[in-house]
Amino acid sequence: MRQPTYLSLSRNGVFYFRWPLTRELHPKGQASSVKVSLRTRDPKSALRLSRYLGYVAPLVERQGAKHGMQYQEIRDLLHRHFSGLLASRKQTMQEDGPLSESDVAAFQTGLSVAAGAAMGQNSLSLVKDDTELLGRFIEHYSLSLQPGTAKYDQFGVELQKAYRDYCETVLKENGALSRYDFHSERQTPAPTRLRTRAPTSLRQVAEKYTAEEIRVGRWVKRSEDQNRQHLDFLLAFVGEGTDVHNVTADHAHSIKDTLLRLPRNLNKNPRTRGKALDDVLAMDLPDKLNVRTVNFYLQTYSRMFAWALDAKLVDDNHFAKSLIRENKRKAGKRQAFSHDQIRTIEAALLSEHPEGKPKEAHKWASLIAIYTGARLNEVCQLTVDDVKLHEGVWCFDLNDEGEDKLNRAGFSGGRFV
């Protein structure tokens, strides 16, 4: 299959659509590109999606180059910028008092220059045009404005107006500090401090959580593989670059509903292996994941977000109460092996036939389980030192002592059998 140049494959096997942007859409006039995850590992699905995006991308690109920023967007940006400067200046005056004479003179000059610029009499820089000033604004806010365009000129005019009104407002606020108004009660608001935190991607949280679980030994190889599979599904569903703060309860509900619709053996079944999630769900295969397996997925997510909550990486764990209550009455009790079945299993384990002889580990672990009734995780953690003579009887000491043993849920350590 011929792969287009704008279709790339990540190290995780997920296809990405990469589209080059024209220089006029970049604030510095540089060549750049946009990269979007197609959320599929299936080459055919990726090719189909990339062809559609390859058709739409030039249309969107031309539309963006044609229109640039809207007039209201320009006003909103300038309002936010100068509102921030005004708030900072007012805070300084509340702490240190009115402006100095030199500061007042500077703002009066700025007001006069900006008023003349707004009427077309001069520029804000006086001795030269405002190209450099506008360039700093455009670079700071990554604006899609190019010199010589109507929107660029419009932005310059609005900047002059905004600076004029900013200087005028600062002078009014300063003038208010030279007198007292006893006709109305003046409320001095307490300064507020905005708490900001850097965005953390879902991929970063998953990697940190996985590394800690492995480092402290809470995951053995099998559980590590299982949990990684669960987390890969979460990253593919929500998007590995998604800010973890933006993962909501709606995401948790959608993931739960999707898991309940997924077929079993998703990566083993030839009909579903490598296909996009939407294509798999459209098949509506009858053999779905059982509730217990779905709960394993949700439990992994709940534990990771609980860890992230303790680490102050998120504000809430939306998977905390997402587990599905199983109908144990409907499931019923597991049926025990009959005596004939036990004898058949034992004969197969003790077989010396070259073709049917089991591995030593399988043989002895199964025989110990049959004769002791111990749990499989207890049997598989036994060492030679755990075979002891207790009150004249040779026994297995089921314990969780030792660096290589895990005291996991369901482990009834500290007993002889």
Side-chain angles (χ1 to χ4, degrees):
M1 181 186 70
R2 180 178 176 272
Q3 181 172 307
T5 56
Y6 45 77
L7 192 62
S8 61
L9 190 65
S10 73
R11 63 180 181 178
N12 298 317
V14 178
F15 282 95
Y16 278 77
F17 177 81
R18 187 185 185 98
W19 186 262
L21 297 176
T22 57
R23 294 179 181 273
E24 62 179 341
L25 291 179
H26 193 278
K28 295 183 179 180
Q30 298 176 352
S32 59
S33 61
V34 61
K35 187 177 180 182
V36 180
S37 172
L38 298 179
R39 297 170 61 178
T40 181
R41 292 182 172 87
D42 180 33
K44 292 183 179 179
S45 298
L47 182 60
R48 184 174 65 252
L49 290 170
S50 65
R51 284 174 176 170
Y52 172 75
L53 291 174
Y55 171 76
V56 174
L59 302 177
V60 175
E61 193 175 29
R62 286 196 295 270
Q63 194 76 0
K66 178 180 177 181
H67 294 286
M69 291 184 70
Q70 299 296 316
Y71 176 67
Q72 188 59 46
E73 292 176 337
I74 293 175
R75 287 185 58 88
D76 290 343
L77 172 67
L78 292 172
H79 188 276
R80 288 195 303 271
H81 177 82
F82 285 105
S83 292
L85 293 180
L86 179 61
S88 177
R89 178 63 64 178
K90 289 170 67 175
Q91 181 65 37
T92 301
M93 289 191 292
Q94 288 176 2
E95 294 174 355
D96 301 336
L99 296 174
S100 64
E101 291 184 3
S102 60
D103 287 338
V104 171
F107 275 104
Q108 288 174 340
T109 301
L111 174 61
S112 176
V113 171
M119 292 186 293
Q121 299 174 356
N122 52 263
S123 65
L124 289 176
S125 304
L126 286 180
V127 296
K128 56 182 178 180
D129 61 26
D130 294 330
T131 301
E132 183 179 347
L133 176 62
L134 292 174
R136 291 201 301 269
F137 256 92
I138 292 172
E139 180 180 7
H140 180 74
Y141 289 104
S142 299
L143 305 180
S144 57
L145 295 173
Q146 293 297 317
T149 62
K151 290 297 182 183
Y152 178 87
D153 296 337
Q154 188 178 51
F155 182 77
V157 173
E158 294 303 314
L159 175 60
Q160 295 164 353
K161 295 178 182 177
Y163 183 64
R164 175 199 63 192
D165 296 341
Y166 163 69
C167 292
E168 184 179 7
T169 305
V170 171
L171 292 172
K172 287 182 178 179
E173 290 290 333
N174 184 68
L177 295 178
S178 63
R179 60 183 181 276
Y180 289 87
D181 183 5
F182 294 106
H183 297 289
S184 60
E185 184 178 355
R186 183 175 180 85
Q187 299 290 337
T188 303
T192 58
R193 298 184 181 272
L194 297 178
R195 184 182 66 174
T196 60
R197 51 186 176 186
T200 305
S201 71
L202 191 59
R203 164 66 68 182
Q204 291 175 312
V205 173
E207 289 178 348
K208 290 179 181 179
Y209 170 67
T210 300
E212 182 170 313
E213 293 297 293
I214 295 173
R215 186 170 60 250
V216 300
R218 276 194 285 266
W219 287 358
V220 295
K221 185 64 174 71
R222 183 168 179 268
S223 59
E224 179 186 342
D225 293 341
Q226 187 181 63
N227 282 287
R228 284 187 183 277
Q229 180 183 346
H230 298 168
L231 294 175
D232 285 344
F233 179 83
L234 176 67
L235 294 175
F237 189 93
V238 180
E240 61 182 45
T242 301
D243 187 348
V244 71
H245 303 115
N246 295 334
V247 178
T248 64
D250 289 337
H251 285 114
H253 294 316
S254 297
I255 289 174
K256 183 176 179 179
D257 293 339
T258 303
L259 287 170
L260 289 170
R261 295 167 55 199
L262 277 185
R264 292 183 180 180
N265 301 319
L266 186 66
N267 297 320
K268 297 180 181 178
N269 190 337
R271 298 180 61 186
T272 58
R273 184 172 55 242
K275 292 189 178 295
L277 182 60
D278 291 339
D279 294 337
V280 172
L281 295 174
M283 294 180 184
D284 195 23
L285 298 177
D287 200 10
K288 310 292 186 186
L289 292 179
N290 58 46
V291 173
R292 188 163 179 258
T293 302
V294 172
N295 279 340
F296 281 152
Y297 276 82
L298 298 175
Q299 197 171 50
T300 299
Y301 306 149
S302 179
R303 287 172 177 169
M304 186 185 78
F305 275 88
W307 171 87
L309 187 61
D310 291 339
K312 302 293 189 290
L313 296 175
V314 296
D315 298 322
D316 201 356
N317 179 6
H318 298 295
F319 293 91
K321 297 181 180 180
S322 61
L323 295 186
I324 305 168
R325 294 185 61 182
E326 297 184 65
N327 189 346
K328 295 184 178 180
R329 290 184 179 181
K330 183 178 179 180
K333 294 183 178 179
R334 295 181 180 178
Q335 292 184 351
F337 289 111
S338 66
H339 291 293
D340 291 338
Q341 290 171 329
I342 291 292
R343 282 194 291 269
T344 301
I345 295 173
E346 185 179 17
L349 293 171
L350 297 174
S351 172
E352 295 296 332
H353 194 280
E355 295 183 0
K357 187 177 180 179
K359 296 180 180 180
E360 288 296 299
H362 295 172
K363 170 184 174 180
W364 290 110
S366 301
L367 288 173
I368 293 172
I370 289 173
Y371 281 94
T372 64
R375 295 179 175 87
L376 292 180
N377 61 330
E378 294 174 330
V379 174
C380 293
Q381 295 188 80
L382 286 171
T383 65
V384 176
D385 295 334
D386 293 328
V387 181
K388 298 179 180 179
L389 186 64
H390 180 68
E391 297 180 358
V393 180
W394 285 102
C395 302
F396 293 108
D397 181 9
L398 303 179
N399 60 73
D400 56 0
E401 299 173 0
E403 294 182 358
D404 296 331
K405 294 186 179 182
L406 297 177
N407 186 4
R408 301 173 63 187
F411 185 90
S412 300
R415 61 192 177 98
F416 288 94
V417 295

